[in-house]
Amino acid sequence: DTAVSQTPKYLVTQMGNDKSIKCEQNLGHDTMYWYKQDSKKFLKIMFSYNNKELIINETVPNRFSPKSPDKAHLNLHINSLELGDSAVYFCASTGAGWGEKLFFGSGTQLSVL
Amino acid sequence: DAKTTQPPSMDCAEGRAANLPCNHSTISGNEYVYWYRQIHSQGPQYIIHGLKNNETNEMASLIITEDRKSSTLILPHATLRDTAVYYCIVLGPNFGNEKLTFGTGTRLTIIP
């Protein structure tokens, strides 16, 4: 079983559309994240949720709205997609103890045309 | 801002040991050194982490200097599948609330 799974793997859409990316982890972790990796391959944190509560919001446009229905899921909804939103989006999760590891999903490649 | 500095790229011959350095001169006493790697465009993968002592697992060894201001990740027998970008990250003990920041990493190329 995949520890952190994201769907879809590829997403191609037109500017102005609204789309969602789903993430689920079966590790029993308390904290989940969304990262964005742009064309320059720089990984930037977008959001962090702990037990369904928003912990970190890294100056991401409010067109991006994360939603955590339960601590195993963290979905990312994007409104009014723009060309600059094209990137690979990674979901990740971690536990809450000392020296915990971060587990990443395989990524969603979003292409806005 | 990343708390670490790494060389942008390195090459290593297949079968040899790959030694990847990382400087973290501002590390605090309770911060861990973590290493992750990203193969092509897959999700980053955990490799190893340590606090003060050297660590070894099935993937790699981590050597941390006595003053903890730098460390070296060692892949003992590099294979072509080890070609990836390697990230060195410094994190507090309970980093759920921290802004995990990945720097630019070291692009390691294993040469046949």
Side-chain angles (χ1 to χ4, degrees):
Chain A
D1 287 342
T2 303
V4 181
S5 59
Q6 297 178 227
T7 54
K9 186 166 179 61
Y10 300 98
L11 186 53
V12 182
T13 188
Q14 299 287 332
M15 279 176 53
N17 284 350
D18 303 338
K19 291 293 179 184
S20 293
I21 307 172
K22 295 184 177 181
C23 179
E24 176 182 3
Q25 54 94 3
N26 62 6
L27 299 166
H29 286 163
D30 294 319
T31 306
M32 297 184 71
Y33 304 84
W34 278 108
Y35 278 82
K36 178 181 179 181
Q37 189 168 42
D38 58 23
S39 58
K40 295 183 179 179
K41 303 299 183 183
F42 205 55
L43 263 171
K44 296 180 182 178
I45 189 170
M46 299 175 68
F47 299 103
S48 165
Y49 266 73
N50 183 275
N51 273 320
K52 303 193 299 176
E53 291 190 19
L54 179 66
I55 301 297
I56 294 171
N57 181 341
E58 275 295 289
T59 61
V60 176
N62 56 16
R63 297 183 296 104
F64 290 79
S65 53
K67 287 185 171 53
S68 182
D70 54 63
K71 74 173 191 176
H73 295 83
L74 181 61
N75 304 322
L76 184 64
H77 189 76
I78 314 170
N79 290 326
S80 303
L81 277 156
E82 300 177 357
L83 294 176
D85 298 332
S86 295
V88 181
Y89 293 83
F90 289 100
C91 177
S93 74
T94 187
W98 286 73
E100 287 286 344
K101 308 171 189 175
L102 198 61
F103 290 83
F104 282 83
S106 57
T108 296
Q109 185 168 334
L110 172 64
S111 298
V112 182
L113 307 178
Chain B
D1 293 329
K3 301 177 185 178
T4 63
T5 55
Q6 300 175 250
S9 64
M10 292 180 64
D11 293 338
C12 179
E14 187 179 15
R16 304 297 289 268
N19 297 283
L20 291 90
C22 179
N23 286 324
H24 31 79
S25 58
T26 60
I27 192 170
S28 299
N30 65 350
E31 288 183 318
Y32 288 78
V33 179
Y34 280 78
W35 283 83
Y36 285 79
R37 71 180 182 184
Q38 188 174 25
I39 297 174
H40 195 41
S41 290
Q42 299 176 21
Q45 175 191 25
Y46 166 84
I47 302 173
I48 198 167
H49 73 282
L51 185 62
K52 295 180 182 178
N53 299 323
N54 298 337
E55 302 287 344
T56 296
N57 63 19
E58 65 279 5
M59 291 182 68
S61 294
L62 174 60
I63 308 298
I64 303 174
T65 58
E66 193 169 342
D67 63 7
R68 303 211 320 126
K69 293 185 177 181
S70 66
S71 60
T72 301
L73 177 74
I74 301 172
L75 307 177
H77 304 288
T79 70
L80 298 178
R81 288 178 294 180
D82 292 323
T83 291
V85 178
Y86 287 77
Y87 297 99
C88 171
I89 306 166
V90 168
L91 292 170
N94 186 3
F95 58 81
N97 295 337
E98 289 191 33
K99 301 175 186 178
L100 283 82
T101 302
F102 287 75
T104 52
T106 296
R107 180 172 296 278
L108 176 67
T109 303
I110 305 303
I111 301 170

